[in-house]
Amino acid sequence: MKYELAGDGELFSRDPIVPPPDQGTKENPILIPSAEHERAVGYEDPDAGQLVWFTLAKGPVHYVPDIDLYFKMFPVGEPGGH
């Protein structure tokens, strides 16, 4: 909540993240904001057109082969500080 009140952005949003074209590589992963140690992230499966969810954990980069993109958690705010 403090993060949001400070005007630094939202900790949780149902809106899609549309990364810049150069983001999503292993060297420049898509950064997902979270104040927790893990969070659910969804993407649209390009073949089925369905939403697929995975758990992104703090730490290593996560690769999604279906869309050939890398994701990494970006820590913000305080854990449990909704």
Side-chain angles (χ1 to χ4, degrees):
M1 179 71 102
K2 291 178 185 177
Y3 179 79
E4 291 176 357
L5 291 175
D8 293 327
E10 289 184 85
L11 292 180
F12 183 81
S13 174
R14 293 178 188 220
D15 295 332
I17 294 174
V18 180
D22 66 332
Q23 211 173 33
T25 64
K26 190 172 186 178
E27 298 76 24
N28 187 21
I30 297 168
L31 299 176
I32 306 296
S34 181
E36 303 299 329
H37 297 289
E38 61 181 31
R39 71 170 285 178
V41 176
Y43 66 91
E44 183 180 351
D45 181 292
D47 296 325
Q50 297 178 349
L51 192 57
V52 179
W53 294 92
F54 67 91
T55 301
L56 182 64
K58 182 179 178 182
V61 172
H62 183 88
Y63 177 64
V64 179
D66 292 344
I67 53 175
D68 194 31
L69 291 174
Y70 291 84
F71 295 82
K72 184 166 178 69
M73 187 174 292
F74 175 70
V76 293
E78 299 174 20
H82 308 293

